[in-house]
């Protein structure tokens, strides 16, 4: 973004408010290809702590998409491949609707309950 646009944005904001906030936690370097389950899990937890919403969105898309594909395989008794469009719709639902909604709801509950 050009410097002038950044300055204009900064002027329109309230005094003392920064236009762009850098994340406080920096991402760790990528895991090795031969990483074990413990390293993968700790990397996932670190990513979840650094950027919770995008990680939750990706997780929901994968889990819900895989769940629908599995349900189709069980329903069809593995006679044909799962419908890719249906799997993509369910994954999109997890990515765009389910994960953000649950993220906000959980934060509201954590703020309201002791």
């Amino acid at each position: 973004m050009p410097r002038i646009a950044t300055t204009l944005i900064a002027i329109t904001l309230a005094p003392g408010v920064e236009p762009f906030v850098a994340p406080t936690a920096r991402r760790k370097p990528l895991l090795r290809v031969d990483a074990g389950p413990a390293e993968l899990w700790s990397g996932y937890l670190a990513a979840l702590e650094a950027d919770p919403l995008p990680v939750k969105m990706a997780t929901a898309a994968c889990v819900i998409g895989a769940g629908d594909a599995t349900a189709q395989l069980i329903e069809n008794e593995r006679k044909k491949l799962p419908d890719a469009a249906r799997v993509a719709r369910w994954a999109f639902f997890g990515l765009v609707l389910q994960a953000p909604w649950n993220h906000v709801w959980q934060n509201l509950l954590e703020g309201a309950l002791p």
Side-chain angles (χ1 to χ4, degrees):
M1 181 179 274
R3 187 160 177 75
I4 276 204
T6 305
T7 306
L8 289 175
I9 291 173
I11 291 170
T12 60
L13 294 174
V17 176
E18 295 181 28
F20 303 103
V21 179
T24 56
R26 287 281 158 212
R27 292 188 177 137
K28 293 183 179 178
L30 295 175
L31 294 173
R32 299 184 331 266
V33 175
D34 61 343
E39 290 174 299
L40 292 173
W41 183 249
S42 66
Y44 175 78
L45 293 178
L48 190 60
E49 189 172 327
D51 293 317
L53 185 57
V55 174
K56 290 176 185 178
M57 291 170 69
T59 302
C62 292
V63 170
I64 292 175
D68 182 61
T70 303
Q72 288 183 50
L73 287 173
I74 292 170
E75 184 179 77
N76 297 328
E77 297 176 357
R78 297 186 180 149
K79 293 180 184 172
K80 60 181 181 177
L81 292 175
D83 179 14
R86 180 177 149 180
V87 171
R89 281 193 304 269
W90 277 105
F92 184 75
F93 167 78
L95 179 76
V96 175
L97 295 174
Q98 188 268 339
W101 170 257
N102 283 349
H103 175 77
V104 170
W105 179 246
Q106 185 66 33
N107 286 344
L108 287 173
L109 288 177
E110 285 181 5
L113 301 175

